[in-house]
Amino acid sequence: MSLVIEGASLLGEGTTDLYVDDHGMLVDSAPAGAERIDAAGLVALPGLVDLHTHLREPGREDAETILTGSRAAALGGYTAVLAMANTTPVTDTAEAATRVWELGREAGLVHVQPVGAVTRGLGGEELAELGLMHRSRAGVTVFSDDGRCVHDARVMRRGLEYVKAFGGVVSQHSQDPSLAGPAACCHEGELSGRLGLPGWPGIAEEVIVARDVMLARHTSSRVHVAHVSTAGSVDVLRWAKARAERDGTWSVTAEVTPHHLLLTTDLLTGYDPTYKVNPPLRPQDDVDALREALADGTIDAVATDHAPHARHDKEHAFVDAAFGMVGLETALAVVRTALPQLSWPDVARVMSVTPARIAGLADQGRPLTPGSPAHVVLVEPDAALTVDRDASASLSRNNPWHGRSLTSRVVHTVYAGRVTVRDGALVDA
Ligand code: DOR
């Protein structure tokens, strides 16, 4: 079905019509008999790309499935998501990766790109089938043991060497387990002491970021730092990016989550497990450093770390509850609320263009010009939105934004020329 998107403001600048042919491509004139979308007053951006989504299928379909997670993604303005490997079983073989990729295609609402595990079973010891996953139909290029740190430097070095052969990247959950006890569940600081909760110190993240940038340099490979959460990590990244640019032989990229841009560890005073997440919410000084780093390009991308959990895993005493919070449907509004000064081209850069480049998704994050696939999100820029966790398409309700007011609303999403969300509602529903 061809489509005409009328009167959108392209990246918040000039007003234009966008034409989509029935192959889902942007073209330069209106196709006959096209479906029409009135986009007056809406900002058009390339469809968002999430480097870090937990879809829970296979294994925990009570918390999320590839279909329900795809629905949440479309509602959030996404046209591609990278599905993390910590499923049951783990995505550590070509078969497992291909299955996730196929289920994503069947759902058909966003491109679901599997992330492969770095190590077999996320065990941290033996490399997974990195080459086979890459050569499978899923074409895996991003590898991560997310949820766990690849803490053995020798294994990390081998992983970086291996993925280099095909231009892949290791996305690291930077957290040295030897600097925090196994029961760590929040930021280590004055507050955790008062609350009697065991914590992760910021340094547990920073030493791994520092180690890994040196390993990436040593191996001339690519490392991506998942969910950066401390000012110290930002300092290391700033140095490393300058160094990588001078060397020209290796690279480091980094992402930050929406929740680390807006929420602080002070929320833990009520012991509400909704705010339990890994890496943990940090103090305001860290939040300020993360915002500045995203605005100045030290941090390349926003990634949700959408981590749905069933009630029976999340609604426990703080120390026993699962880590994580949902985030696909609110990410854009949280970014706009946390960084209102970010221009629309910058929002497109950190939520679409750069994540697509990091993930090697050539048809995502493209300029909205003829010849590009029609992956588009249309946003009402100044809408005030009150989040209702029960209005979510996710199967899970661990939503830290419930009842909060955020700025900007995703109105329509178009994936490969198909309208997946119209007037804020799923079209397949
Ligand atoms: O909070 C988190 N939840 N952090 C992680 O690293 C893993 C994730 C999950 O899978 O639930």
Side-chain angles (χ1 to χ4, degrees):
M1 177 76 171
S2 53
L3 181 68
V4 176
I5 301 169
E6 291 176 318
S9 159
L10 207 55
L11 297 179
E13 285 151 20
T15 300
T16 183
D17 293 347
L18 295 170
Y19 308 119
V20 184
D21 71 9
D22 51 16
H23 304 292
M25 301 296 289
L26 290 169
V27 289
D28 54 16
S29 60
E35 181 184 346
R36 303 189 103 71
I37 285 185
D38 176 9
L42 305 183
V43 172
L45 308 175
L48 307 183
V49 176
D50 188 17
L51 287 169
H52 196 139
T53 311
H54 296 275
L55 292 178
R56 305 297 187 217
E57 184 175 2
R60 289 307 306 266
E61 291 85 350
D62 55 332
E64 198 77 288
T65 67
I66 289 174
L67 177 61
T68 60
S70 295
R71 287 183 179 143
L75 285 167
Y78 286 90
T79 54
V81 298
L82 276 88
M84 275 296 166
N86 65 340
T87 46
T88 317
V90 170
T91 311
D92 59 2
T93 63
E95 290 72 23
T98 304
R99 186 69 189 136
V100 169
W101 180 80
E102 280 170 352
L103 288 169
R105 282 172 59 108
E106 277 168 33
L109 294 166
V110 292
H111 177 83
V112 175
Q113 180 62 29
V115 172
V118 180
T119 67
R120 228 174 261 277
L122 308 179
E125 288 174 3
E126 248 183 289
L127 287 186
E129 293 181 354
L130 309 183
L132 291 176
M133 285 191 268
H134 177 67
R135 289 196 293 280
S136 74
R137 270 189 302 153
V140 178
T141 59
V142 180
F143 296 87
S144 183
D145 277 3
D146 181 66
R148 300 195 193 162
C149 180
V150 180
H151 59 87
D152 184 318
R154 188 173 149 275
V155 174
M156 187 63 179
R157 178 186 177 188
R158 294 279 172 257
L160 288 166
E161 277 169 349
Y162 204 109
V163 301
K164 181 182 148 185
F166 49 80
V169 60
V170 176
S171 169
Q172 172 73 294
H173 182 132
S174 307
Q175 194 168 62
D176 187 336
S178 64
L179 282 170
C185 61
C186 66
H187 171 71
E188 181 188 289
E190 184 270 327
L191 180 67
S192 65
R194 213 153 23 91
L195 296 174
L197 295 172
W200 284 288
I203 189 71
E205 176 173 304
E206 292 148 12
V207 294
I208 296 293
V209 177
R211 181 200 77 177
D212 285 353
V213 296
M214 295 313 283
L215 285 172
R217 181 169 186 235
H218 179 74
T219 54
S220 304
S221 189
R222 285 176 63 204
V223 70
H224 176 75
V225 184
H227 41 48
V228 174
S229 72
T230 79
S233 297
V234 167
D235 287 340
V236 176
L237 286 169
R238 219 166 248 137
W239 174 84
K241 292 199 114 173
R243 184 76 233 189
E245 195 164 319
R246 261 184 289 152
D247 292 345
T249 49
W250 62 286
S251 81
V252 52
T253 53
E255 70 188 35
V256 63
T257 72
H259 47 273
H260 288 108
L261 291 171
L262 201 55
L263 305 179
T264 65
T265 188
D266 301 333
L267 287 162
L268 268 49
T269 48
Y271 294 95
D272 181 347
T274 311
Y275 301 114
K276 180 174 173 181
V277 65
N278 178 10
L281 301 178
R282 303 285 187 185
Q284 189 65 48
D285 286 353
D286 290 308
V287 171
D288 292 343
L290 296 169
R291 289 182 186 173
E292 190 186 325
L294 182 66
D296 74 15
T298 304
I299 293 176
D300 301 82
V302 172
T304 66
D305 200 1
H306 176 80
H309 287 294
R311 283 215 156 90
H312 51 271
D313 291 319
K314 192 66 170 166
E315 291 178 11
H316 286 287
F318 194 87
V319 290
D320 299 322
F323 291 101
M325 29 183 83
V326 297
L328 282 168
E329 289 165 75
T330 45
L332 180 72
V334 174
V335 169
R336 287 274 297 152
T337 306
L339 288 115
Q341 76 281 16
L342 214 59
S343 68
W344 285 108
D346 281 343
V347 171
R349 172 174 59 79
V350 299
M351 298 192 77
S352 176
V353 179
T354 306
R357 180 175 53 73
I358 292 169
L361 297 177
D363 84 343
Q364 297 276 342
R366 295 266 297 264
L368 297 179
T369 48
S372 293
H375 304 308
V376 188
V377 54
L378 294 149
V379 183
E380 188 181 346
D382 300 317
L385 171 95
T386 302
V387 179
D388 174 4
R389 68 179 158 224
D390 296 315
S392 169
S394 170
L395 287 183
S396 293
R397 295 289 172 265
N398 51 312
N399 190 330
W401 311 107
H402 180 65
R404 282 176 190 259
S405 176
L406 302 172
T407 308
S408 287
R409 188 172 75 91
V410 171
V411 182
H412 313 290
T413 310
V414 177
Y415 169 59
R418 175 181 160 204
V419 183
T420 54
V421 171
R422 192 187 253 278
D423 296 324
L426 284 163
V427 172
D428 83 330

